[in-house]
Amino acid sequence: MNLINLSESAYLAMHSLALIARSQPKRLTVKHLAEELDASQAHLAKVFQTLHKAGYVESVRGPAGGFVLKKPADDISFLDIYETMEGPANMGHCPFGKTKCAFHNCIFTKDIHRISSDIYQTYKKIKLSDF
Amino acid sequence: MNLINLSESAYLAMHSLALIARSQPKRLTVKHLAEELDASQAHLAKVFQTLHKAGYVESVRGPAGGFVLKKPADDISFLDIYETMEGPANMGHCPFGKTKCAFHNCIFTKDIHRISSDIYQTYKKIKLSDF
DNA sequence: CTTATTTAGGCATTATAGTACCTAAATATA
DNA sequence: TATATTTAGGTACTATAATGCCTAAATAAG
C-alpha cells in the first residue's frame, strides 16, 4: 500500500504533458503517447478528455492531429495536474474527515498536517518544464 | 482528495487501541468503542478481527468480555497498526509501480521518496502511549 | 467524395474498499 | 441449566474508482 495517494491517471497526465512539451512540434497523439508510456490507450484517452476540459490542451482531430499544450510548460505544476485528475487536495482538519474526535488533542493532527503541507508545496514546486 | 493514504479502518484501529490503553481496567467492548468513536459497530468488529489475528489484542467472550491489549502501549506504533490494516508500506521505487519510465531522471522519484520516508518515520514515531 | 486517422463522449465492465448481516461459539451470571 | 452478552468468521451487499469498449464527429489527404 502506498503511503501517498497517487493514481495512474495523475501519472499518465503529468508524463504525457511533459512528453508533449519536449516534442517538436509540440503535438502528440494518444496512440503515440500510450506506446511510449506503455499504458492503456483507452485510459489515456479518458485522461486527455479531462485535461482538455480543464483547458490544459488543445485538441486537433483527424490525421496528423493530436493534443497540443495550451499553456507554457513552466506555468503548469504537478499540483495543477493532480487536482485536475483527483479533485481538490484536502488539507487541514482531520485527515479522516471526522468532525469530532474522541481525543482532546489528537496526536495525528499536527503530524498529518505537516506532512500534507509538505506534499502540497512539493507538488506545487514541480513544474512541467522540470522534466 | 486526501494527499495521504489513510483509511477509516486504520483510524478506527489506532483510536480504539488508544482508548483501551487508557481505560481501567484495560478492556473494552466493540459496542462501547463504536459508540465512543461514533462509528459502525459492524465495521469496528471487522477491524478487531484483524487486530486479533495480528496479535495486538486478546479477546474475552461473554458478558464483561471485550478486547484487551496484548502488548505495552509504547511498543505499538501507528506504523504497526497502519501496516496491519492496509498491508505493507510501499517505499522506494516508482510511486506508480512502473518498472520502466519514459524519463531518464524522472523528477518525481527523489521528492516522492523523501516524502514517503518522512511519512514512514512519522508513523513509526507515533506510539499508542502518546495519545 | 472517399477513406483513414484521431478525438469526444457515453456506457459497460472490473477491481477494491467499505459496510452490513447472520449464525456459531464462548462464557459470566443468575 | 438457562439466559444474556460478546467475540468469530463467513458471506453478501454497496459505493466508488479504475479501466475498457463502442460509436459518433471531425478533418487531413488522396
Side-chain angles (χ1 to χ4, degrees):
Chain A
M1 179 61 78
N2 275 323
L3 295 165
I4 307 180
N5 219 344
L6 277 177
S7 72
E8 169 106 359
S9 297
Y11 165 86
L12 291 177
M14 194 62 181
H15 283 71
S16 295
L17 292 184
L19 284 172
I20 293 177
R22 78 176 187 189
S23 73
Q24 198 50 249
K26 290 180 162 31
R27 172 191 301 177
L28 292 174
T29 68
V30 166
K31 190 182 174 191
H32 175 96
L33 287 165
E35 280 164 8
E36 184 132 12
L37 293 174
D38 195 27
S40 144
Q41 191 171 330
H43 190 193
L44 195 54
K46 263 284 171 302
V47 167
F48 268 93
Q49 279 182 32
T50 305
L51 290 174
H52 183 233
K53 271 185 199 159
Y56 288 105
V57 289
E58 192 75 59
S59 75
V60 183
R61 294 188 182 192
F67 285 98
V68 192
L69 265 188
K70 235 175 136 180
K71 300 182 181 180
D74 52 1
D75 277 7
I76 302 177
S77 70
F78 180 58
L79 181 65
D80 297 327
I81 305 304
Y82 176 90
E83 294 200 307
T84 299
M85 302 312 299
E86 322 246 7
N90 175 15
M91 302 286 293
H93 329 114
C94 174
F96 304 101
K98 297 283 177 187
T99 49
K100 84 171 197 184
C101 186
F103 295 90
H104 238 320
N105 275 320
C106 181
I107 191 152
F108 278 124
T109 319
K110 207 179 131 220
D111 283 320
I112 298 289
H113 192 267
R114 173 180 59 77
I115 294 170
S116 291
S117 300
D118 182 16
I119 299 176
Y120 190 88
Q121 293 304 327
T122 302
Y123 286 0
K124 199 172 185 178
K125 210 184 59 196
I126 298 177
K127 307 288 184 186
L128 212 55
S129 49
D130 296 334
F131 278 71
Chain B
M1 178 61 79
N2 274 323
L3 294 165
I4 306 181
N5 219 344
L6 278 177
S7 71
E8 168 105 0
S9 297
Y11 166 87
L12 291 177
M14 193 64 181
H15 282 72
S16 295
L17 292 184
L19 284 172
I20 293 177
R22 78 175 187 189
S23 72
Q24 199 51 248
K26 288 181 165 28
R27 172 192 302 178
L28 292 173
T29 68
V30 166
K31 190 181 173 189
H32 174 97
L33 286 166
E35 280 164 9
E36 185 132 11
L37 292 174
D38 194 27
S40 143
Q41 191 171 329
H43 191 194
L44 196 53
K46 265 282 171 298
V47 167
F48 268 93
Q49 279 181 32
T50 305
L51 290 174
H52 183 234
K53 272 185 197 159
Y56 288 104
V57 290
E58 193 74 63
S59 74
V60 183
R61 295 188 182 192
F67 285 99
V68 191
L69 265 189
K70 233 176 140 181
K71 301 182 180 181
D74 52 2
D75 277 7
I76 301 177
S77 70
F78 179 58
L79 181 64
D80 297 328
I81 305 305
Y82 176 89
E83 294 199 307
T84 298
M85 302 311 299
E86 322 246 6
N90 176 15
M91 302 286 293
H93 329 113
C94 174
F96 304 100
K98 297 283 176 186
T99 49
K100 86 172 196 183
C101 187
F103 295 89
H104 239 320
N105 276 319
C106 181
I107 192 154
F108 278 125
T109 318
K110 207 179 131 221
D111 283 319
I112 299 290
H113 192 269
R114 173 181 58 78
I115 294 170
S116 290
S117 300
D118 182 17
I119 299 177
Y120 190 90
Q121 293 304 325
T122 302
Y123 286 1
K124 198 172 186 178
K125 211 184 58 197
I126 298 177
K127 307 288 186 187
L128 212 54
S129 48
D130 295 333
F131 278 71

